[in-house]
Amino acid sequence: MTMHLLFGEEPYLINEEKNRIIKDVNPFSISAFDMRETPLEVALEEARTIDLFGGNRTILLQNCTFLTGETSGKLVHNVDLLLDYLAAPNPTTIMVFIVNSQKLDKRKKVVKALQKAATTYEAKPLRNVHSFIQKQVKAHGKSITTEACDFIQQRLGMNLFLLHNEIEKLCLAYPQEVTIDATMLENILSRTLEDDVFKLIERIIQKQSSSLELLDDLFRLGQEPIKILLLIANQFRILHQVKALQNRGEKPSAVIKIHPYRLQIAEEQAEIYSLEEIQQKLESIAKLDVQMKRGEVDKHIALETFILKWL
C-alpha cells in the first residue's frame, strides 16, 4: 500500500506505527512536512517527483489538521489538489498522513476519499497500561511484578512516551536482574508534578504538617503555583464526583474512568468530607485561581497560606 493514514489520541502509538512503516526505507528518500507550515501543494509536488535513484519516495505529512475540524488560524490548504492526487497517485511514492491527538472530520469529502485510498491506523488510548509496561520490560529480556507495574503507573500516569523512557532507564540501571520489583523503583523513576501533587493532596487531607515541606520542595523545583492549584482542583473535582455518586448509592468505578488505585484513594478521601464541604473547597480554589491570574496576590505566598488554612 502506497498510502497510510495514522490518527488517534495516543501519539506514542502513532509514532510507533510510523516507524514501522519507514523501518526499511532509505532515509535519504524520506521527506517530512509540517502541514501547519507547508502548503499541501508543496508536499503533493514532492510526491509526484520520481526518485533520482529509481526507488520509492516516502512523504511524511505531519499535523494534518485539514483532515480534522480544526481550521481557525491555520494555513488554508487546497484539498481539491489532494483529491486529484488520490485519483491518480504516484505508485513509487509512499505517503503517510499523520493526525495527532485529534479526531478526523469524517464528514469531509477529502477524509472519506483518503480513508478509501489508504491503510488506516487509529491509535486508541490504552485502558490498562500494565500490558504496555510488561511488553516494554520484556523487550529488555526481563519481567516485572504486578506491584511494580502498579507503582510505575501510579507514579508516571498514562503518558506512553514517558513510560517508555523511564522503563528503558530502569532496565539499564539493573542490567543483571531478571525481575523488576517495586523495591527497585523509588530512586530510579523520575518525579512528575502530578504524582507530587497527588502526595501533597493526600497530606493536606490527612492534615499533615509535611504538606508545607512538599509544597516548598515543589517551589524549589520551579513548579508554578497556578499549575499546582489546577491539579489540586482536578483532584477535588474527582472527589466531588465520587461523593455525589456515593450519595446516590452508585459505584464510582462504573462511571469514573481513572486508574483503580487513584479511584480507591479518592473514595477514601471522600469519606472525610461531606459533599457541601467539597463544593466549598472547589469554590475557594476557584476564587484563589482568579486572584492569582489577576495578580491580586503573591502566588507562592497565597498558595502556601491557602494550604495552611486547610491544615
Side-chain angles (χ1 to χ4, degrees), residues 36-292:
R36 296 171 300 187
E37 302 172 357
T38 305
L40 188 55
E41 59 191 270
V42 174
L44 292 175
E45 185 62 33
E46 184 82 6
R48 292 189 179 95
T49 304
I50 303 298
D51 188 84
L52 292 175
F53 301 101
N56 289 337
R57 180 183 294 274
T58 300
I59 311 293
L60 303 178
L61 289 79
Q62 303 179 86
N63 299 307
C64 293
T65 53
F66 61 87
L67 299 175
T68 72
E70 183 180 337
T71 54
S72 66
K74 302 297 178 182
L75 183 65
V76 177
H77 295 284
N78 185 351
V79 295
D80 288 337
L81 296 175
L82 178 55
L83 290 171
D84 292 341
Y85 180 84
L86 294 176
N90 182 350
T92 66
T93 296
I94 299 170
M95 296 193 74
V96 184
F97 298 83
I98 301 172
V99 182
N100 273 322
S101 303
Q102 295 179 60
K103 293 183 178 180
L104 299 176
D105 187 346
K106 297 182 180 180
R107 299 167 299 176
K108 291 186 175 183
K109 184 178 179 181
V110 66
V111 173
K112 293 177 182 178
L114 187 56
Q115 286 186 303
K116 287 182 180 179
T119 297
T120 61
Y121 173 82
E122 181 176 2
K124 297 179 180 179
L126 299 182
R127 293 185 178 275
N128 186 341
V129 299
H130 273 212
S131 59
F132 176 83
I133 294 170
Q134 290 165 348
K135 184 178 179 181
Q136 295 289 311
V137 171
K138 187 177 180 180
H140 291 273
K142 302 179 185 298
S143 62
I144 186 168
T145 65
T146 301
E147 184 183 9
C149 278
D150 285 337
F151 186 95
I152 291 173
Q153 185 169 354
Q154 175 196 338
R155 171 67 70 88
L156 302 178
M158 304 288 284
N159 185 321
L160 300 190
F161 278 110
L162 179 60
L163 286 168
H164 169 80
N165 291 336
E166 290 297 307
I167 291 168
E168 185 171 23
K169 182 172 73 175
L170 176 64
C171 291
L172 291 173
Y174 294 101
Q176 304 302 323
E177 283 76 1
V178 176
T179 301
I180 301 295
D181 62 44
T183 62
M184 303 176 182
L185 306 178
E186 184 64 45
N187 296 322
I188 301 297
L189 297 182
S190 297
R191 291 172 59 178
T192 65
L193 175 59
E194 289 78 4
D195 185 58
D196 281 340
V197 171
F198 185 76
K199 291 177 182 176
L200 176 63
I201 293 166
E202 180 68 12
R203 295 182 189 184
I204 292 170
I205 290 173
Q206 298 299 332
K207 298 186 182 298
Q208 297 176 4
S209 60
S210 60
S211 303
L212 295 177
E213 294 174 12
L214 180 53
L215 180 65
D216 188 52
D217 191 26
L218 289 171
F219 288 161
R220 284 201 304 271
L221 291 170
Q223 301 295 357
E224 281 294 319
I226 289 178
K227 191 168 185 180
I228 294 172
L229 186 65
L230 173 63
L231 291 170
I232 292 174
N234 288 342
Q235 180 66 12
F236 271 86
R237 290 190 192 99
I238 293 172
L239 294 188
H240 189 272
Q241 284 183 282
V242 168
K243 195 68 179 182
L245 290 166
Q246 288 175 340
N247 287 354
R248 295 201 299 263
E250 298 180 38
K251 287 187 176 181
S253 58
V255 179
I256 304 173
K257 303 304 179 185
I258 60 175
H259 188 267
Y261 174 79
R262 296 233 161 161
L263 182 57
Q264 177 189 338
I265 296 297
E267 289 176 323
E268 293 172 1
Q269 292 172 344
E271 293 296 326
I272 300 173
Y273 297 110
S274 67
L275 187 61
E276 291 73 21
E277 287 173 327
I278 296 173
Q279 288 172 338
Q280 289 170 1
K281 298 291 186 188
L282 283 169
E283 288 170 6
S284 62
I285 290 170
K287 182 179 178 180
L288 179 58
D289 180 62
V290 171
Q291 291 175 328
M292 284 183 171

